[in-house]
Amino acid sequence: MHYDLVVIGSGPAGQKGAIAAAKLKKRVALIERKGQQVGGVCLHTGTVPSKTMREAILFLTGYQQRNVFADRYTGKRRITMQDLQHKLQQVISQERFVIRDQLERNGIDVYEGEARFVDPRCVEIHGPKGTEAISGEHILIASGTRPSRPAHIPFDGQRIFDSDEILNLKEIPRSMIVVGGGVIGIEYAIMFAALGVKVTVVDGRPRLLEFCDQEVVDTLMYTSRSMGITFRLGENVESIQDAADQQVVVILESQKRIIADAAFFSVGRVGDTDALQPTNAGLDVGPRGKLECDERFRTTAPHIFAVGDVIGFPSLASTSMEQGRRAIHEIYQLEYQPTEYIPYGLFTIPEIAMVGKTEQQLTQSREPYEIGVARFCELAKSQISGCHDGMLKLLFHRETLKLLGVHSIGEAATEIVHIGQAVMALGGTIEYFCNQVFNHPTIAESYKVAAFDGLNRLCRPTCHQSATPSSHSCAHGTAADQGPVIDSLSSSAN
């Protein structure tokens, strides 16, 4: 069977790529290793399950409501893995139905089985129906990644497990060691801490989440420590052994010994390309199984493209979707307008989100910038919802006022970051936020508070040194009241 396009992998990148090609009236085949797992890692073991578990934990524990109603609120006294898995199965089942319906409505042939390259154009599928071969004029690889499993770690799926196995735990442990403080590790560490689990995070780096704003990370670590999490940074794991009473002991290179009921390993992910035998298609495989491709998603074989987590950074479901669509534009030589403003969202407790440059990047490039900050504790919405911790930080050019970066931690951070993303994409300045009306009370109005705060930082030195109003007049108001103030200097000049 010959197709215009063969897509390997049904995660976000594969789905959107296949559907985009089908919309162009192309004949498309999509191969998924397990037919019941259409949606890939994102739907079954990655993004959707972890975020569903987070929401279930927040709801069942009453994490936010306790700050509002205090002793008058009582959450579920004993939360089990079955409670969390029940909601998880509901969400996965519904999302899987939606994806299958989309594929069927667009006339995409779905094959179930393990894909393997026979040659650059032929793919062999080993599935329940036996072995069959299909070929494609073009091939799009979106096979995703799997957890890295060090050979010296005795994984058993219950006491020592990775991110694929964590969803199948029979019970919630009383204590847990999280090895790896990356995005996945820190998200799960805080989730389990919210359940009352005693958590220790071990990471070989001296600082967590280095791509994030330092002040935001410091806020997250402060909140995490208040939940009882212990951090062991700059420490590497030497070995893991059995301890008494069905516990595990993690031995660090510094010879420290940490004992807990369970150990969760989250030390990165590797490209899921072994079974594909990519060398049969003339493809180059980089470190950790990632496929090599250029900025247009073209591999070393001119008719084969690669997208999603299998090509590495940024490895986000949102960017993978867009990569799948853009690869189709490249294959069929269609015009598209790429964006440089990609938002990042970490579903920790509280949430973290960012878009644009960090203070560290602006400092290194010697770009003159100023900051405007809004503390969520000053917002009425945060008092109403009980989410007092959080902030929004705007980075902008001191001269042009152009918005350069948005960094947020707190309730709805992953939602409101898109407001800043839109303004940046359109080349806007922070004056936009001062001149617009935001619903009250909302978390989104923190943009206006932060913008006033930033402009006031520019106004103060000018007002103290000169009797002539600057081009950025102090009539913007204070960060606290957001209202106009009397410009006494302007009045005296008149």
Side-chain angles (χ1 to χ4, degrees):
M1 188 75 71
H2 187 74
Y3 289 89
D4 297 315
L5 177 70
V6 173
V7 180
I8 302 175
S10 66
Q15 292 169 37
K16 305 310 178 185
I19 292 173
K23 297 291 186 186
L24 297 174
K25 307 302 181 184
K26 305 298 180 182
R27 192 178 186 192
V28 181
L30 185 146
I31 306 171
E32 175 52 53
R33 179 178 287 130
K34 296 180 180 179
Q36 292 302 312
Q37 291 195 357
V38 169
V41 169
C42 174
L43 177 58
H44 294 274
T45 59
T47 302
V48 172
S50 63
K51 281 50 179 178
T52 302
M53 180 179 287
R54 177 186 183 274
E55 291 302 314
I57 289 171
L58 290 175
F59 176 77
L60 293 172
T61 61
Y63 182 83
Q64 296 174 349
Q65 289 83 351
R66 285 179 301 195
N67 289 332
V68 179
F69 301 104
D71 296 338
R72 297 185 180 182
Y73 181 85
T74 303
K76 193 175 189 297
R77 190 172 297 278
R78 185 175 181 274
I79 299 171
T80 66
M81 283 300 298
Q82 288 69 34
D83 292 326
L84 304 179
Q85 290 163 351
H86 177 70
K87 180 60 178 177
L88 184 59
Q89 292 307 315
Q90 284 183 333
V91 173
I92 290 177
S93 177
Q94 178 59 28
E95 285 299 297
R96 184 169 54 214
F97 171 80
V98 171
I99 294 170
R100 279 195 167 279
D101 183 59
Q102 290 176 342
L103 297 175
E104 290 176 4
R105 283 190 287 109
N106 285 279
I108 297 169
D109 294 339
V110 178
Y111 289 83
E112 178 181 357
E114 191 79 57
R116 180 182 71 87
F117 279 106
V118 177
D119 58 45
R121 292 194 184 274
C122 182
V123 178
E124 203 170 62
I125 305 169
H126 300 270
K129 299 179 180 179
T131 300
E132 53 188 325
I134 61 174
S135 61
E137 193 67 26
H138 290 93
I139 297 174
L140 181 65
I141 301 176
S143 54
T145 58
R146 64 178 186 273
S148 176
R149 292 169 65 98
H152 67 290
I153 303 301
F155 292 94
D156 61 16
Q158 287 300 316
R159 290 188 305 155
I160 307 169
F161 46 85
D162 60 28
S163 58
D164 282 358
E165 298 168 327
I166 196 170
L167 303 172
N168 298 320
L169 294 181
K170 294 179 180 178
E171 59 183 25
I172 297 172
R174 293 171 299 176
S175 58
M176 178 189 295
I177 302 166
V178 176
V179 181
V183 174
I184 297 174
I186 201 66
E187 284 184 351
Y188 274 115
I190 298 176
M191 274 189 250
F192 277 88
L195 288 170
V197 178
K198 183 179 180 181
V199 178
T200 299
V201 177
V202 180
D203 195 281
R205 294 163 292 190
R207 179 191 160 199
L208 296 180
L209 307 175
E210 295 179 342
F211 62 92
C212 291
D213 178 84
Q214 181 65 63
E215 187 176 3
V216 167
V217 175
D218 289 344
T219 302
L220 179 68
M221 292 190 69
Y222 173 82
T223 304
S224 300
R225 287 190 173 104
S226 70
M227 297 170 68
I229 298 179
T230 300
F231 291 95
R232 298 285 187 182
L233 303 184
E235 300 269 17
N236 293 308
V237 174
E238 182 179 277
S239 64
I240 183 168
Q241 302 173 0
D242 291 329
D245 300 325
Q246 296 296 308
Q247 291 186 311
V248 295
V249 55
V250 172
I251 302 174
L252 308 181
E253 290 181 352
S254 63
Q255 297 309 301
K256 295 184 181 74
R257 298 165 66 89
I258 309 173
I259 299 176
D261 289 341
F264 169 46
F265 272 75
S266 178
V267 289
R269 300 181 67 86
V270 297
D272 199 357
T273 54
D274 297 344
L276 274 178
Q277 298 187 19
T279 53
N280 290 349
L283 301 178
D284 291 338
V285 180
R288 300 176 72 86
K290 304 295 178 66
L291 290 179
E292 300 287 350
C293 69
D294 62 16
E295 68 281 358
R296 296 185 176 181
F297 314 111
R298 298 176 298 189
T299 66
T300 47
H303 67 291
I304 300 178
F305 290 67
V307 290
D309 290 7
V310 75
I311 66 174
F313 185 84
S315 297
L316 301 169
S318 54
T319 55
S320 294
M321 294 179 188
E322 192 62 17
Q323 287 173 359
R325 296 186 183 100
R326 290 185 183 179
I328 300 305
H329 282 74
E330 289 290 343
I331 291 173
Y332 297 109
Q333 300 180 357
L334 303 174
E335 292 186 3
Y336 67 91
Q337 185 64 43
T339 178
E340 60 179 300
Y341 301 110
I342 299 174
Y344 293 80
L346 282 68
F347 290 84
T348 48
I349 302 173
E351 297 176 1
I352 290 177
M354 60 175 284
V355 63
K357 296 181 179 180
T358 63
E359 286 198 66
Q360 293 86 345
Q361 291 171 328
L362 293 173
T363 299
Q364 290 175 359
S365 62
R366 297 185 177 183
E367 194 165 356
Y369 74 93
E370 188 54 87
I371 67 172
V373 176
R375 305 287 175 184
F376 287 2
C377 60
E378 299 176 355
L379 303 177
K381 178 65 174 181
S382 69
Q383 302 301 322
I384 295 170
S385 64
C387 300
H388 305 158
D389 297 326
M391 59 174 283
L392 174 71
K393 177 190 286 188
L394 304 181
L395 308 181
F396 61 97
H397 198 283
R398 287 185 60 88
E399 298 169 1
T400 65
L401 303 185
K402 184 177 179 180
L403 189 61
L404 303 174
V406 177
H407 304 269
S408 181
I409 180 171
E411 181 188 12
T414 56
E415 298 283 352
I416 67 172
V417 70
H418 299 110
I419 299 173
Q421 177 192 17
V423 172
M424 290 176 66
L426 296 172
T429 70
I430 66 164
E431 289 182 309
Y432 168 84
F433 303 118
C434 296
N435 298 330
Q436 300 305 312
V437 175
F438 289 82
N439 283 331
H440 176 78
T442 61
I443 297 296
E445 64 181 331
S446 59
Y447 274 97
K448 193 159 191 170
V449 177
F452 279 124
D453 178 64
L455 289 179
N456 282 338
R457 292 172 191 261
L458 294 180
C459 292
R460 286 178 187 136
T462 305
C463 293
H464 284 299
Q465 296 171 13
S466 171
T468 303
S470 69
S471 58
H472 311 309
S473 170
C474 284
H476 290 300
T478 66
D481 63 23
Q482 301 184 42
V485 297
I486 298 175
D487 193 341
S488 58
L489 298 178
S490 298
S491 300
S492 63
N494 292 333

